[in-house]
Amino acid sequence: MRPARALIDLQALRHNYRLARELSGARALAVVKADAYGHGAVRCAEALQGEADGFAVACIEEALQLREAGIQKPILLLEGFFEAGELELIDRHDLWCVVHSPWQLAAVEQARPRRPLTIWLKLDSGMHRVGFHPEQYQAAYRRLEASGKVARIVLMTHFARADELDCPRSREQLVTFQQAAQGLSAEISLRNSPALLGWPEIPSDWVRPGIMLYGATPFAQPHPLAERLRPVMTLESKIISVRELPAGEPVGYGARFVSERPTRVGVVAMGYADGYPRHAPTGTPVAIDGQPSRIIGRVSMDMLTVDLTDLPQAGLGSRVELWGKQVPASEVATCAGTIPYQIFCNLRRVPLSYF
């Protein structure tokens, strides 16, 4: 069997969720959209079901997968519904729903749910993707309140630059939210992972931890609270071939690496078809049998090459950690010019193993 696999530490997942609760003092929806950022939504939700206040997903397909697996806690649809007909499923499966646009609001008013709905009303405070404009927000709240279709309204927005701790944009968005929501009597949900870790002054009755659940920092620089996170995924494989090259020899497609000295090259069963970032350059860290090393040359579809020159004990069958407890996913992402969110979500054919 091909040795590439991802190990998922469910105890670390629970630790990170508890940290979110501890830091916020609020109720927390565990964000498990995009198959729990590539970690397996059902298994992660099962691991958290005993203590999570609820879950958040992108769309109804993801919510129904959790319900079919027996997850009974509240599930919030972060993008709401995409057509009015989904409201019948939302009602039947007792889902919570974001409403972020006038047509969704009108659909709720026209719906005939068996029980009143829980609606999270989204404000566009400056992200400028979805959400009601500030001048529309109070009227949208009043319409929901008057509809007779809604039992509970939570007020929410989303920060565009909370991962930039020296940027004033988050405070500006907070002021916009406070002005738009002034006088409205409802719980609020403002803090995602970077806001939860980096902006303790921002109020929030509900927090929405996402990337921090999986043990990756949302920040480009070190942060003391992010250092308390535990990596949940360890992506690993093994050395399947070893080459001894003299100085001056190229390795891999495009000759992106040329040996400057006699070099031992290890070939690893892992590539961009598995979801490892193709643009990870020479120097991207790996750990081989627990010892630090680096990628050399270009990542191929099914294989990549690593430097074994200073690891004489490493060879065929040596374990290679691509990211995990020794090699932070955030470092790999930075080397590849991307973010941990993407490298987690890009995993495809690598089997997940849980412990």
Side-chain angles (χ1 to χ4, degrees):
M1 300 288 288
R2 192 164 181 265
R5 61 177 183 163
L7 306 177
I8 309 299
D9 183 347
L10 296 176
Q11 187 57 38
L13 178 74
R14 286 186 282 264
H15 164 85
N16 296 336
Y17 178 83
R18 291 166 190 157
L19 181 62
R21 290 287 305 272
E22 173 194 332
L23 296 177
S24 67
R27 284 168 288 179
L29 292 183
V31 180
V32 293
K33 64 180 180 178
D35 199 29
Y37 295 43
H39 291 67
V42 169
R43 291 297 300 272
C44 288
E46 289 173 341
L48 292 173
Q49 182 164 223
E51 53 191 293
D53 297 303
F55 299 94
V57 298
C59 58
I60 198 163
E61 292 89 345
E62 293 178 339
L64 294 182
Q65 180 189 36
L66 296 184
R67 283 287 188 253
E68 289 166 4
I71 302 301
Q72 297 303 315
K73 289 290 183 74
I75 301 174
L76 175 66
L77 306 179
L78 288 169
E79 295 179 26
F81 49 91
F82 299 94
E83 52 188 46
E86 293 176 24
L87 279 164
E88 189 275 329
L89 289 171
I90 290 168
D91 179 34
R92 186 195 315 170
H93 295 281
D94 194 20
L95 304 176
W96 294 357
C97 184
V98 168
V99 167
H100 58 70
S101 61
W103 77 265
Q104 291 176 327
L105 174 57
V108 169
E109 290 175 316
Q110 296 164 15
R112 295 182 178 179
R114 296 174 298 171
R115 54 194 161 200
L117 302 169
T118 293
I119 297 296
W120 289 45
L121 184 63
K122 190 164 192 176
L123 173 74
D124 179 6
S125 61
M127 181 78 169
H128 298 325
R129 294 188 310 191
V130 296
F132 287 89
H133 295 299
E135 60 272 18
Q136 300 173 321
Y137 200 60
Q138 295 253 346
Y141 177 92
R142 302 298 178 199
R143 283 175 61 182
L144 286 174
E145 197 175 41
S147 70
K149 311 297 173 65
V150 177
R152 180 184 187 187
I153 303 172
V154 178
L155 311 179
M156 72 178 299
T157 196
H158 192 70
F159 294 108
R161 301 178 68 179
D163 58 332
E164 300 174 51
L165 297 176
D166 58 351
C167 176
R169 186 58 168 161
S170 295
R171 291 189 181 91
E172 293 167 1
Q173 286 191 249
L174 174 60
V175 170
T176 298
F177 175 84
Q178 291 172 328
Q179 292 173 343
Q182 186 173 10
L184 301 183
S185 180
E187 296 174 310
I188 63 173
S189 177
L190 305 185
R191 295 167 74 187
N192 57 359
S193 289
L196 201 161
L197 291 166
W199 299 86
E201 70 274 23
I202 292 177
S204 208
D205 299 303
W206 289 86
V207 294
R208 309 186 304 270
I211 193 65
M212 68 174 290
L213 283 183
Y214 308 102
T217 178
F219 305 119
Q221 68 273 23
H223 190 283
L225 294 179
E227 289 174 4
R228 294 176 61 187
L229 299 170
R230 296 180 185 173
V232 173
M233 179 189 292
T234 297
L235 182 66
E236 67 175 29
S237 190
K238 291 182 178 180
I239 302 289
I240 61 170
S241 178
V242 177
R243 289 286 185 273
E244 303 272 358
L245 299 180
E249 286 296 313
V251 175
Y253 288 117
R256 293 297 178 89
F257 173 83
V258 178
S259 58
E260 296 179 351
R261 59 173 179 163
T263 300
R264 290 181 74 227
V265 178
V267 180
V268 183
M270 176 67 63
Y272 62 77
D274 301 296
Y276 192 86
R278 179 177 181 270
H279 297 293
T282 291
T284 299
V286 297
I288 302 172
D289 290 337
Q291 300 300 308
S293 187
R294 60 176 182 151
I295 287 177
I296 54 177
R298 181 180 283 173
V299 175
S300 302
M301 182 179 288
D302 310 293
M303 292 177 282
L304 56 81
T305 43
V306 295
D307 191 350
L308 301 180
T309 308
D310 296 326
L311 301 175
Q313 303 306 314
L316 285 175
S318 286
R319 176 183 176 272
V320 180
E321 180 183 299
L322 288 310
W323 63 67
K325 292 178 170 58
Q326 284 190 267
V327 181
S330 57
E331 289 187 19
V332 176
T334 297
C335 288
T338 185
I339 54 178
Y341 303 75
Q342 185 181 43
I343 65 173
F344 289 153
C345 291
N346 278 354
L347 288 182
R348 291 180 174 85
R349 63 180 180 177
V350 178
L352 305 181
S353 299
Y354 296 87
F355 65 99

